Amino acid sequence: MSKDNQILEELTSKEYEHGWSVNYETDEAPAGLNEDIIRWISAKKEEPEWLLEWRLKAFRTWLNMAEPSWANVTYPKIDLQALKYYSAPKQAKKTKSLNEVDPELIAIYERLGISLNEQKRLQGIAVDAVLDSVSVATTFKDTLGKLGIVFCSFSEAVKEHPELVKKYLGSVVPMTDNYYAALNSAVFSDGSFCYIPKGVRCPMELSTYFRINAANTGQFERTLIVAEESSYVSYLEGCTAPQRDENQLHAAVVEIYAAAHAEVKYSTVQNWFPGDKEGKGGIYNFVTKRGICEGDHSKISWTQVETGSAVTWKYPSCILKGDHSIGEFYSVAVTNNYQQADTGTKMIHIGKNTKSRIVSKGISAGKSQNSYRGQVQVMKRADNARNFSQCDSLLMGDRCGAHTFPYIDINNPSAKVEHEATTSKIGEDQIFYCNQRGIATEDAVALIVNGYAKEVLNQLPMEFAVEAQKLLALTLEGSVG
Amino acid sequence: MLSIKNLHASVEGTPILRGINLEVKAGEVHAIMGPNGSGKSTLASVLAGREEYEVTEGEVIFKGKELLEMAPEDRAREGVFLAFQYPVEIPGVSSTNFLRTALNQVREYRGQEPLDAVKFLSLMKEKMALVEIDQKLLSRSLNEGFSGGEKKRNEIFQMAMLEPTLSILDETDSGLDIDALRIVSNGVNKLKSDQTATIVVTHYQRLLDYIVPDYVHVLYKGRIVKSGTKELALELEEKGYDWIKEEVDSATV
Ligand SMILES: Nc1ncnc2c1ncn2[C@@H]1O[C@H](COP(=O)(O)OP(=O)(O)OP(=O)(O)O)[C@@H](O)[C@H]1O
Ligand SMILES: [Mg+2]
């Protein structure tokens, strides 16, 4: 074996850091997917009748839908009947404060480096922690409550703010939007809900951590963010899962609603288990994320750092309905080993003078496949719509693939749409230059890749930018000999 | 400090270096001259550990250790510095960030504590003054969009920061304007000590007016074909390489 291969071997054997699982007693739905299971979930969650009906309607529609096959990914058919659609850690029925949360569950999050203990919390970040199917704890609730901000688990919102949930649920991503969104609508178990009242600037980052722990469980969270007129919120989502041989399905739906002059920043650092280096196991991440800039001068900005999952299928999108509204999408997607990612965005310009900006940085290593798929649509009445798209791909080694699928659909002659794309290879001479200054190859790759992704990483809140940088380096370890 | 014995190296099967012998002692400055394509940059690259070049014969001892056995980053950490003829651009990485990573890895190797941000900054300030480099340049992406002269000046700035024992300057003078040449050369001279050595690769006498060599070597077709003192450089400046080429070519026929 050559020296290079040896180094490569050594480094790729590095394991996924969050690959552990914990045994705790769970309350689970039996495996299978049918109306009874949906009734079971809804009853378990003590849901109102209208929500059960909504779920059942989604389920019946879903039965007639086909799994999409247009994405540039391949995976064996998922047996949806073998999955369990609800798994909750057993604990005291209702927890009013963190003191009542099972210490074992708090320990799980501590192990992930996420402190749910308010005394030791990250400065200025409120956290909602979702384990398997249910939300375990939401910190900072009182502080936020004083401002009229609602930040809680989805189940809680259904109970305490049913009128809000009823009004906005499915308003951005209709239950029948696509196969996975319909599935989610039928069986979603929990997630986060966030409501920012008129004129309120949320003083801290709101953050949700998703963790899949139980085996053979699909995780179907539902996130709903509503920003009323002239409000502002920055929201962060992080995710991990244990290392398992079998694949696990994750099909979330995120909906964002922005009224006039409101601004929502949504950042994701996605680190689901990517499968091992032979491509065994890993999360199938089929997610629908969409925001609507309903009011004039509103703004929605998506930032995502995608490092995990075996297969990713995800297109955070913006419907720019209000005049002068702005949509942004900043993405870094890294794939290594046998990972596959098909990700990008859709910017739909409906209002006048709407603007969108897309910055996508793909990094492929190993035998992975990384696709950017983006759509810019300018409707008839969207005078003076502007879009700028920058799609860069960075290749490491010669066994991986990078693909770009831009779709542009313009129905108004005043539109200005710019698209730039580059593909580059990480340069031997760049690495050698770093080596010559005393920097080891691994660190050189991290440095070069972080430099390449800088424009996107800069969009993240400080703490998470640091976390994301480390994650990028970790994901790419061993990809250059 | 550095002892090169019968060094042969090839690229994709083509021999480029064909038996180099060179002894460099601490405190010395050696100039390497020679026509285009004679192998000067190749020699520098082989010493720095570039993988494309395969060493087919010979050995190199640096401070008592087998240099050729070491990984490129370890050579750097041991004190070998190469100022590149064509410095590489690294988009999105500032010089400051780059150098901090480099310096701390070098320090770690040498068993020193990493420098904190404050100490690092004050060291930067000190070295910036030495080569009169602008702070603005250092907060930009490394070498990206730098002018030719700015790149070269940045190389010497990095050298100042890393304090190597053996510096190899590959045509650092090319691209520098008259003032910059003086400033950069003065910088190099200030960094010299009886503990360090310098190898300068150049085509022109004007650099050697500032950085005065103890020895001058002429590289031709992968061999050092003539060595002398600084007067040899003057002679070359006047007469060119033809007389040497003739000498060598007639001898080998
Ligand atoms: N990577 C490479 N692949 C093929 N040939 C190479 C490579 N590197 C160097 N060479 C060849 O080796 C010879 C020596 O090149 P080198 O760059 O060392 O010359 P030099 O003495 O530095 O020249 P100059 O004065 O022009 O800088 C040249 O003929 C060059 O084309
Ligand atoms: Mg050269």
Tab-separated table of all heavy atoms in Angstrom, chain A residues 3-4 428-430 432-441 443 447-448 450-452 454 481, chain B residues 48-50 73 76-77 80-82 84 88-93 98 102 105 142-143 155 158:
chain	number	residue	atom	x	y	z
A	3	LYS	N	2.025	5.136	0.570
A	3	LYS	CA	1.972	5.959	1.772
A	3	LYS	C	0.660	6.751	1.806
A	3	LYS	O	-0.005	6.846	2.837
A	3	LYS	CB	3.172	6.910	1.760
A	3	LYS	CG	3.447	7.543	3.111
A	3	LYS	CD	4.769	8.300	3.071
A	3	LYS	CE	4.586	9.695	3.597
A	3	LYS	NZ	5.230	10.729	2.842
A	4	ASP	N	0.286	7.245	0.635
A	4	ASP	CA	-0.953	8.027	0.531
A	4	ASP	C	-2.152	7.221	0.980
A	4	ASP	O	-2.978	7.661	1.750
A	4	ASP	CB	-1.214	8.427	-0.923
A	4	ASP	CG	-0.261	9.503	-1.347
A	4	ASP	OD1	0.585	9.868	-0.504
A	4	ASP	OD2	-0.355	9.943	-2.493
A	428	GLU	N	-3.372	20.558	-5.728
A	428	GLU	CA	-2.184	19.981	-5.111
A	428	GLU	C	-1.222	21.096	-4.717
A	428	GLU	O	-0.570	21.041	-3.682
A	428	GLU	CB	-1.436	19.110	-6.135
A	428	GLU	CG	-2.207	17.942	-6.648
A	428	GLU	CD	-1.762	16.680	-5.965
A	428	GLU	OE1	-0.552	16.553	-5.721
A	428	GLU	OE2	-2.631	15.843	-5.663
A	429	ASP	N	-1.152	22.099	-5.590
A	429	ASP	CA	-0.200	23.172	-5.310
A	429	ASP	C	-0.647	24.019	-4.128
A	429	ASP	O	0.181	24.525	-3.386
A	429	ASP	CB	0.072	24.029	-6.556
A	429	ASP	CG	-1.191	24.434	-7.274
A	429	ASP	OD1	-2.267	23.920	-6.907
A	429	ASP	OD2	-1.116	25.258	-8.192
A	430	GLN	N	-1.971	24.129	-3.925
A	430	GLN	CA	-2.442	24.843	-2.734
A	430	GLN	C	-2.073	24.058	-1.471
A	430	GLN	O	-1.624	24.626	-0.484
A	430	GLN	CB	-3.966	25.007	-2.769
A	430	GLN	CG	-4.435	26.054	-3.761
A	430	GLN	CD	-5.944	26.105	-3.823
A	430	GLN	OE1	-6.625	25.096	-3.684
A	430	GLN	NE2	-6.488	27.297	-4.040
A	432	PHE	N	0.321	21.849	-1.175
A	432	PHE	CA	1.779	21.871	-0.988
A	432	PHE	C	2.240	23.201	-0.394
A	432	PHE	O	3.107	23.245	0.479
A	432	PHE	CB	2.502	21.602	-2.312
A	432	PHE	CG	3.997	21.626	-2.171
A	432	PHE	CD1	4.649	20.666	-1.408
A	432	PHE	CD2	4.755	22.628	-2.764
A	432	PHE	CE1	6.024	20.699	-1.246
A	432	PHE	CE2	6.133	22.662	-2.607
A	432	PHE	CZ	6.770	21.693	-1.857
A	433	TYR	N	1.636	24.259	-0.867
A	433	TYR	CA	1.981	25.585	-0.338
A	433	TYR	C	1.752	25.618	1.178
A	433	TYR	O	2.602	26.083	1.942
A	433	TYR	CB	1.131	26.648	-1.043
A	433	TYR	CG	1.531	28.079	-0.767
A	433	TYR	CD1	2.544	28.688	-1.507
A	433	TYR	CD2	0.890	28.826	0.206
A	433	TYR	CE1	2.902	30.018	-1.272
A	433	TYR	CE2	1.239	30.149	0.452
A	433	TYR	CZ	2.246	30.735	-0.295
A	433	TYR	OH	2.597	32.040	-0.059
A	434	CYS	N	0.605	25.107	1.611
A	434	CYS	CA	0.307	25.046	3.049
A	434	CYS	C	1.309	24.145	3.775
A	434	CYS	O	1.840	24.510	4.828
A	434	CYS	CB	-1.102	24.511	3.286
A	434	CYS	SG	-2.399	25.604	2.684
A	435	ASN	N	1.553	22.968	3.195
A	435	ASN	CA	2.539	22.047	3.789
A	435	ASN	C	3.869	22.748	3.986
A	435	ASN	O	4.512	22.624	5.021
A	435	ASN	CB	2.808	20.838	2.867
A	435	ASN	CG	1.664	19.848	2.800
A	435	ASN	OD1	1.567	19.083	1.853
A	435	ASN	ND2	0.805	19.852	3.797
A	436	GLN	N	4.280	23.497	2.976
A	436	GLN	CA	5.580	24.152	3.028
A	436	GLN	C	5.641	25.193	4.143
A	436	GLN	O	6.696	25.601	4.576
A	436	GLN	CB	5.913	24.786	1.672
A	436	GLN	CG	7.401	24.800	1.347
A	436	GLN	CD	8.263	25.464	2.399
A	436	GLN	OE1	8.065	26.631	2.725
A	436	GLN	NE2	9.230	24.733	2.957
A	437	ARG	N	4.503	25.620	4.617
A	437	ARG	CA	4.507	26.575	5.735
A	437	ARG	C	4.315	25.868	7.072
A	437	ARG	O	4.070	26.501	8.086
A	437	ARG	CB	3.405	27.627	5.536
A	437	ARG	CG	3.579	28.475	4.273
A	437	ARG	CD	4.930	29.177	4.229
A	437	ARG	NE	5.022	30.071	3.084
A	437	ARG	CZ	5.885	29.919	2.094
A	437	ARG	NH1	6.740	28.904	2.085
A	437	ARG	NH2	5.913	30.786	1.096
A	438	GLY	N	4.350	24.518	7.023
A	438	GLY	CA	4.255	23.764	8.272
A	438	GLY	C	2.867	23.253	8.587
A	438	GLY	O	2.620	22.713	9.653
A	439	ILE	N	1.919	23.439	7.664
A	439	ILE	CA	0.542	23.027	7.923
A	439	ILE	C	0.321	21.604	7.392
A	439	ILE	O	0.587	21.327	6.226
A	439	ILE	CB	-0.453	23.998	7.252
A	439	ILE	CG1	-0.210	25.423	7.765
A	439	ILE	CG2	-1.892	23.571	7.496
A	439	ILE	CD1	-0.997	26.500	7.040
A	440	ALA	N	-0.158	20.718	8.259
A	440	ALA	CA	-0.409	19.332	7.862
A	440	ALA	C	-1.533	19.279	6.827
A	440	ALA	O	-2.383	20.165	6.779
A	440	ALA	CB	-0.783	18.507	9.084
A	441	THR	N	-1.513	18.246	6.003
A	441	THR	CA	-2.457	18.144	4.893
A	441	THR	C	-3.919	18.253	5.338
A	441	THR	O	-4.705	18.978	4.739
A	441	THR	CB	-2.219	16.838	4.114
A	441	THR	OG1	-0.884	16.895	3.604
A	441	THR	CG2	-3.189	16.680	2.955
A	443	ASP	N	-5.184	19.743	7.853
A	443	ASP	CA	-5.510	21.112	8.238
A	443	ASP	C	-5.506	22.027	7.017
A	443	ASP	O	-6.251	22.997	6.958
A	443	ASP	CB	-4.515	21.618	9.279
A	443	ASP	CG	-4.526	20.738	10.512
A	443	ASP	OD1	-5.558	20.709	11.190
A	443	ASP	OD2	-3.528	20.044	10.763
A	447	LEU	N	-8.546	24.324	5.880
A	447	LEU	CA	-8.331	25.749	5.643
A	447	LEU	C	-8.860	26.160	4.264
A	447	LEU	O	-9.591	27.138	4.119
A	447	LEU	CB	-6.830	26.021	5.728
A	447	LEU	CG	-6.342	27.421	6.039
A	447	LEU	CD1	-6.730	27.817	7.453
A	447	LEU	CD2	-4.821	27.489	5.896
A	448	ILE	N	-8.504	25.373	3.273
A	448	ILE	CA	-8.885	25.699	1.894
A	448	ILE	C	-10.405	25.609	1.725
A	448	ILE	O	-11.033	26.479	1.130
A	448	ILE	CB	-8.154	24.768	0.892
A	448	ILE	CG1	-6.648	25.025	0.957
A	448	ILE	CG2	-8.677	24.969	-0.527
A	448	ILE	CD1	-5.789	23.941	0.320
A	450	ASN	N	-12.737	25.775	4.097
A	450	ASN	CA	-13.424	26.833	4.834
A	450	ASN	C	-13.308	28.170	4.125
A	450	ASN	O	-14.225	28.987	4.169
A	450	ASN	CB	-12.903	26.930	6.269
A	450	ASN	CG	-13.532	25.868	7.148
A	450	ASN	OD1	-14.738	25.700	7.151
A	450	ASN	ND2	-12.719	25.135	7.876
A	451	GLY	N	-12.180	28.383	3.463
A	451	GLY	CA	-12.017	29.598	2.681
A	451	GLY	C	-13.006	29.617	1.521
A	451	GLY	O	-13.674	30.616	1.260
A	452	TYR	N	-13.133	28.475	0.895
A	452	TYR	CA	-14.043	28.324	-0.248
A	452	TYR	C	-15.497	28.583	0.168
A	452	TYR	O	-16.273	29.195	-0.553
A	452	TYR	CB	-13.844	26.919	-0.798
A	452	TYR	CG	-14.911	26.398	-1.715
A	452	TYR	CD1	-14.940	26.776	-3.059
A	452	TYR	CD2	-15.873	25.500	-1.257
A	452	TYR	CE1	-15.918	26.274	-3.900
A	452	TYR	CE2	-16.844	25.006	-2.092
A	452	TYR	CZ	-16.864	25.392	-3.418
A	452	TYR	OH	-17.833	24.896	-4.242
A	454	LYS	N	-16.517	30.333	2.709
A	454	LYS	CA	-16.577	31.462	3.638
A	454	LYS	C	-17.822	32.336	3.499
A	454	LYS	O	-18.449	32.721	4.489
A	454	LYS	CB	-15.342	32.319	3.420
A	454	LYS	CG	-15.130	33.349	4.491
A	454	LYS	CD	-13.823	34.040	4.220
A	454	LYS	CE	-13.638	35.217	5.120
A	454	LYS	NZ	-12.522	36.030	4.624
A	481	GLY	N	-5.023	12.467	0.206
A	481	GLY	CA	-3.904	11.707	0.767
A	481	GLY	C	-2.659	12.524	0.857
A	481	GLY	O	-2.543	13.554	0.277
B	48	ALA	N	12.042	21.037	-0.656
B	48	ALA	CA	10.839	21.335	0.131
B	48	ALA	C	9.896	20.140	0.208
B	48	ALA	O	8.986	20.120	1.013
B	48	ALA	CB	10.117	22.535	-0.457
B	49	GLY	N	10.115	19.149	-0.670
B	49	GLY	CA	9.334	17.915	-0.550
B	49	GLY	C	8.139	17.796	-1.471
B	49	GLY	O	7.176	17.107	-1.178
B	50	ARG	N	8.191	18.458	-2.614
B	50	ARG	CA	7.069	18.350	-3.541
B	50	ARG	C	6.997	16.939	-4.129
B	50	ARG	O	7.987	16.404	-4.600
B	50	ARG	CB	7.251	19.365	-4.659
B	50	ARG	CG	6.001	19.479	-5.409
B	50	ARG	CD	5.796	20.740	-6.129
B	50	ARG	NE	4.424	20.633	-6.539
B	50	ARG	CZ	3.571	21.618	-6.622
B	50	ARG	NH1	3.958	22.818	-6.364
B	50	ARG	NH2	2.341	21.409	-6.998
B	73	GLU	N	5.553	19.061	5.500
B	73	GLU	CA	5.235	19.947	6.627
B	73	GLU	C	6.283	19.832	7.733
B	73	GLU	O	6.601	20.816	8.408
B	73	GLU	CB	3.827	19.723	7.162
B	73	GLU	CG	3.515	18.345	7.699
B	73	GLU	CD	2.976	17.406	6.620
B	73	GLU	OE1	3.334	17.572	5.432
B	73	GLU	OE2	2.202	16.485	6.982
B	76	ALA	N	9.284	21.878	6.845
B	76	ALA	CA	9.012	23.282	7.157
B	76	ALA	C	9.167	23.528	8.646
B	76	ALA	O	9.771	24.512	9.071
B	76	ALA	CB	7.608	23.656	6.690
B	77	ARG	N	8.635	22.605	9.440
B	77	ARG	CA	8.689	22.772	10.895
B	77	ARG	C	10.115	22.668	11.416
B	77	ARG	O	10.472	23.264	12.427
B	77	ARG	CB	7.812	21.701	11.557
B	77	ARG	CG	6.334	21.877	11.241
B	77	ARG	CD	5.561	20.609	11.520
B	77	ARG	NE	4.146	20.773	11.171
B	77	ARG	CZ	3.260	19.794	11.250
B	77	ARG	NH1	3.637	18.576	11.635
B	77	ARG	NH2	2.004	20.010	10.928
B	80	VAL	N	12.936	24.595	7.172
B	80	VAL	CA	13.180	24.854	5.750
B	80	VAL	C	12.057	25.744	5.222
B	80	VAL	O	10.878	25.435	5.386
B	80	VAL	CB	13.194	23.537	4.936
B	80	VAL	CG1	13.334	23.839	3.443
B	80	VAL	CG2	14.321	22.632	5.409
B	81	PHE	N	12.425	26.834	4.625
B	81	PHE	CA	11.416	27.742	4.074
B	81	PHE	C	11.693	27.976	2.603
B	81	PHE	O	12.820	28.242	2.205
B	81	PHE	CB	11.440	29.086	4.812
B	81	PHE	CG	10.401	30.054	4.311
B	81	PHE	CD1	9.148	30.090	4.892
B	81	PHE	CD2	10.679	30.911	3.249
B	81	PHE	CE1	8.173	30.964	4.431
B	81	PHE	CE2	9.701	31.790	2.773
B	81	PHE	CZ	8.446	31.817	3.370
B	82	LEU	N	10.631	27.855	1.801
B	82	LEU	CA	10.772	28.129	0.384
B	82	LEU	C	9.911	29.330	0.010
B	82	LEU	O	8.693	29.301	0.177
B	82	LEU	CB	10.336	26.890	-0.426
B	82	LEU	CG	10.207	27.051	-1.940
B	82	LEU	CD1	11.516	27.489	-2.574
B	82	LEU	CD2	9.742	25.737	-2.571
B	84	PHE	N	8.308	30.913	-2.826
B	84	PHE	CA	7.973	30.351	-4.135
B	84	PHE	C	8.201	31.336	-5.276
B	84	PHE	O	8.000	32.543	-5.129
B	84	PHE	CB	6.501	29.922	-4.156
B	84	PHE	CG	6.220	28.665	-3.376
B	84	PHE	CD1	6.129	28.688	-1.995
B	84	PHE	CD2	6.051	27.446	-4.034
B	84	PHE	CE1	5.868	27.531	-1.273
B	84	PHE	CE2	5.784	26.289	-3.325
B	84	PHE	CZ	5.696	26.326	-1.936
B	88	VAL	N	1.048	30.633	-4.528
B	88	VAL	CA	-0.289	30.127	-4.842
B	88	VAL	C	-1.367	30.982	-4.177
B	88	VAL	O	-1.180	31.495	-3.085
B	88	VAL	CB	-0.371	28.668	-4.331
B	88	VAL	CG1	-1.777	28.123	-4.418
B	88	VAL	CG2	0.594	27.795	-5.107
B	89	GLU	N	-2.500	31.105	-4.857
B	89	GLU	CA	-3.627	31.849	-4.278
B	89	GLU	C	-4.541	30.911	-3.512
B	89	GLU	O	-4.829	29.814	-3.975
B	89	GLU	CB	-4.437	32.519	-5.397
B	89	GLU	CG	-3.586	33.454	-6.242
B	89	GLU	CD	-4.395	34.226	-7.283
B	89	GLU	OE1	-5.599	33.957	-7.427
B	89	GLU	OE2	-3.799	35.098	-7.938
B	90	ILE	N	-4.997	31.328	-2.351
B	90	ILE	CA	-5.992	30.543	-1.615
B	90	ILE	C	-7.193	31.429	-1.294
B	90	ILE	O	-7.179	32.190	-0.333
B	90	ILE	CB	-5.406	29.913	-0.333
B	90	ILE	CG1	-4.151	29.104	-0.676
B	90	ILE	CG2	-6.447	29.021	0.343
B	90	ILE	CD1	-3.532	28.357	0.474
B	91	PRO	N	-8.248	31.330	-2.106
B	91	PRO	CA	-9.412	32.201	-1.943
B	91	PRO	C	-10.093	31.998	-0.585
B	91	PRO	O	-10.184	30.874	-0.092
B	91	PRO	CB	-10.363	31.770	-3.068
B	91	PRO	CG	-9.501	31.057	-4.054
B	91	PRO	CD	-8.391	30.438	-3.274
B	92	GLY	N	-10.530	33.092	-0.003
B	92	GLY	CA	-11.308	33.024	1.238
B	92	GLY	C	-10.491	32.828	2.501
B	92	GLY	O	-11.030	32.813	3.589
B	93	VAL	N	-9.167	32.648	2.349
B	93	VAL	CA	-8.320	32.466	3.528
B	93	VAL	C	-7.412	33.682	3.648
B	93	VAL	O	-6.616	33.946	2.746
B	93	VAL	CB	-7.457	31.190	3.401
B	93	VAL	CG1	-6.547	31.023	4.600
B	93	VAL	CG2	-8.335	29.965	3.221
B	98	PHE	N	-4.070	32.251	7.741
B	98	PHE	CA	-3.152	31.261	7.201
B	98	PHE	C	-1.884	31.185	8.048
B	98	PHE	O	-1.443	30.112	8.472
B	98	PHE	CB	-2.814	31.654	5.760
B	98	PHE	CG	-1.771	30.796	5.110
B	98	PHE	CD1	-2.073	29.534	4.657
B	98	PHE	CD2	-0.468	31.268	4.949
B	98	PHE	CE1	-1.116	28.739	4.048
B	98	PHE	CE2	0.495	30.489	4.342
B	98	PHE	CZ	0.178	29.221	3.889
B	102	ALA	N	-0.275	28.260	10.416
B	102	ALA	CA	1.067	27.764	10.135
B	102	ALA	C	1.973	27.920	11.359
B	102	ALA	O	2.606	26.957	11.809
B	102	ALA	CB	1.655	28.508	8.941
B	105	GLN	N	1.234	25.573	14.196
B	105	GLN	CA	1.622	24.179	13.948
B	105	GLN	C	3.135	24.015	14.062
B	105	GLN	O	3.627	23.020	14.570
B	105	GLN	CB	1.119	23.719	12.583
B	105	GLN	CG	-0.401	23.630	12.568
B	105	GLN	CD	-0.941	22.565	11.635
B	105	GLN	OE1	-0.193	21.849	10.961
B	105	GLN	NE2	-2.256	22.446	11.595
B	142	LEU	N	-5.422	35.178	0.762
B	142	LEU	CA	-4.008	34.939	0.535
B	142	LEU	C	-3.639	34.960	-0.950
B	142	LEU	O	-4.098	34.115	-1.722
B	142	LEU	CB	-3.611	33.589	1.151
B	142	LEU	CG	-2.150	33.219	1.088
B	142	LEU	CD1	-1.298	34.158	1.919
B	142	LEU	CD2	-1.947	31.788	1.541
B	143	ASN	N	-2.842	35.943	-1.323
B	143	ASN	CA	-2.306	36.100	-2.677
B	143	ASN	C	-3.345	36.343	-3.764
B	143	ASN	O	-2.996	36.569	-4.915
B	143	ASN	CB	-1.454	34.884	-3.100
B	143	ASN	CG	-0.150	34.827	-2.329
B	143	ASN	OD1	0.417	35.863	-1.989
B	143	ASN	ND2	0.318	33.633	-2.040
B	155	GLU	N	5.728	36.691	0.497
B	155	GLU	CA	6.549	35.503	0.765
B	155	GLU	C	7.600	35.817	1.822
B	155	GLU	O	7.810	35.036	2.756
B	155	GLU	CB	7.242	35.014	-0.522
B	155	GLU	CG	6.317	34.420	-1.566
B	155	GLU	CD	5.704	33.107	-1.147
B	155	GLU	OE1	6.416	32.088	-1.079
B	155	GLU	OE2	4.496	33.107	-0.860
B	158	GLN	N	6.133	36.172	5.218
B	158	GLN	CA	5.888	34.857	5.827
B	158	GLN	C	7.177	34.265	6.378
B	158	GLN	O	7.210	33.669	7.453
B	158	GLN	CB	5.282	33.894	4.805
B	158	GLN	CG	3.880	34.287	4.387
B	158	GLN	CD	3.260	33.275	3.443
B	158	GLN	OE1	3.652	32.118	3.419
B	158	GLN	NE2	2.298	33.718	2.663
